[in-house]
Amino acid sequence: MVLVVDVGNTDTKFGVFDGEELGARWAVHSDLNRSAAEHEALLRAMLAHHQVTGIEGAVIGSVVPALTERMAAGVRSAAGCEPLIARSQDVRVIDLAVDRPAQVGIDRVANALAAREFYQAPAIVVDLGSVTTFDIVNAAGSLAGVIITLGMQNTARALTAAGAQLPSIDLARPARLVGTETTGSMQSGVYWGYVRMVRGLLEQLQSELGGDYRAIATGGQAPVVVEDVGLFEIVDLDLTLRGLWLIQQAEAAA
C-alpha cells in the first residue's frame, strides 16, 4: 500500500494505492493553521475510516511550503513510514523542457507524467482548480511548458472584491446567459467567461501545437465545466494522485 498526498492551495487530496489500483481517496481543506499533531490525528482517523492498514510507502507533493513539513511529520507518525517529498527538479522520470525546472509546481510534473504514462503523449492537461493550468506534454513525453491563470473560484472572489456592492456568489451554471438580478448576472459572467477562456486557450493551443494533442481535464471544477467547454477527450479527477504515485514508484525502484 502506498499513501499519496497532494497538498494544494485550497484542498489536500489523499489516495491509497494497492499496486496500480487507486482505492481509498478523500480530501480535506488545506488549513494553514493545522499543526503536525492535527495532521497526524486526522490522517489516523481517515485511514481507520477507510480500513487502510499496511502502508509501506508514502509520497507528498506540495505547492504550499508552509504545510509541507507538518504534513510529512503527520504522515511519519500516522502511516509509520518516511514519506518521499517530491520536488520538481529531482524527478528523473520525465524531462522538464523549461527554462527553470525548480520553479515548476510538483503538481504540474505529476499531471504531465500521468498523462504520458496512462493516456500517451502528446497531450494538454487542463487542471481546473483554484488556479487553472494548462500543462503541455509534447510528443517526446516531456513537460514543454505551462499556462497559468485564475481558477473560477478566484475569478468570482476577484469580481466581488472589485465592486463595493457586489456580493459573494456560489459557483454554478446559470439558468440563463443574461442575468436579471445581481447574483445571476455575476454567475453568468464568471461561469461563461471561464468556460470561454478555457475553450479559447485550448483551441489556440491545439491550433498552434497541432490537432494530435489530446485534451485531458482534471481538478475540482472539471465536473462543473467540461460539458460546456466541450473539447476534452478524457476527464480524470485523480490524475495528480496517479502522477505522484508514479514518482514514488520510480524512486522506490531506483
Side-chain angles (χ1 to χ4, degrees):
M1 297 277 192
V2 175
L3 174 67
V4 177
V5 186
D6 171 25
V7 183
N9 291 293
T10 302
D11 294 318
T12 297
K13 298 178 181 178
F14 299 80
V16 179
F17 282 83
D18 185 359
E20 295 186 7
E21 294 298 317
L22 175 57
R25 55 173 74 78
W26 65 93
V28 300
H29 178 64
S30 297
D31 186 350
L32 291 174
N33 296 314
R34 188 175 293 134
S35 67
E38 289 171 325
H39 280 297
E40 177 190 352
L42 186 56
L43 182 52
R44 284 186 184 276
M46 293 308 297
L47 290 173
H49 174 75
H50 289 282
Q51 299 180 328
V52 174
T53 59
I55 298 293
E56 299 174 346
V59 57
I60 298 171
S62 174
V63 296
V64 187
L67 289 177
T68 305
E69 291 302 329
R70 279 178 271 167
M71 178 61 73
V75 169
R76 285 187 198 102
S77 299
C81 62
E82 182 65 31
L84 168 67
I85 299 176
R87 305 189 191 281
S88 300
Q89 66 271 29
D90 299 328
V91 175
R92 293 171 288 181
V93 287
I94 184 169
D95 178 45
L96 305 186
V98 297
D99 294 335
R100 298 177 181 176
Q103 292 184 354
V104 179
I106 189 62
D107 48 354
R108 311 276 58 78
V109 179
N111 281 354
L113 179 59
R116 186 189 76 189
E117 294 300 312
F118 289 104
Y119 302 112
Q120 298 184 337
I124 302 167
V125 180
V126 187
D127 196 332
L128 302 151
S130 53
V131 173
T132 298
T133 53
F134 297 72
D135 307 317
I136 314 305
V137 186
N138 64 20
S142 304
L143 177 61
V146 180
I147 296 173
I148 304 173
T149 187
L150 283 176
M152 187 159 60
Q153 186 176 57
N154 285 326
T155 299
R157 289 172 178 165
L159 181 59
T160 297
Q165 293 184 302
L166 296 180
S168 297
I169 60 171
D170 294 326
L171 301 180
R173 189 182 194 275
R176 58 180 66 88
L177 177 61
V178 180
T180 55
E181 41 76 35
T182 301
T183 297
S185 300
M186 292 173 65
Q187 284 179 331
S188 183
V190 169
Y191 181 85
W192 288 112
Y194 185 72
V195 165
R196 294 302 176 185
M197 180 273 290
V198 173
R199 184 179 180 88
L201 280 173
L202 264 177
E203 288 176 334
Q204 186 170 349
L205 282 167
Q206 290 175 326
S207 174
E208 292 187 10
L209 298 172
D212 55 340
Y213 276 73
R214 65 179 60 193
I216 303 171
T218 191
Q221 296 302 319
V224 181
V225 302
V226 289
E227 186 174 343
D228 284 318
V229 172
L231 296 175
F232 292 109
E233 294 182 42
I234 298 162
V235 179
D236 185 344
L237 302 183
D238 299 314
L239 192 71
T240 311
L241 294 177
R242 298 188 204 282
L244 290 171
W245 175 77
L246 287 169
I247 292 170
Q248 188 276 338
Q249 292 290 287
E251 288 298 315

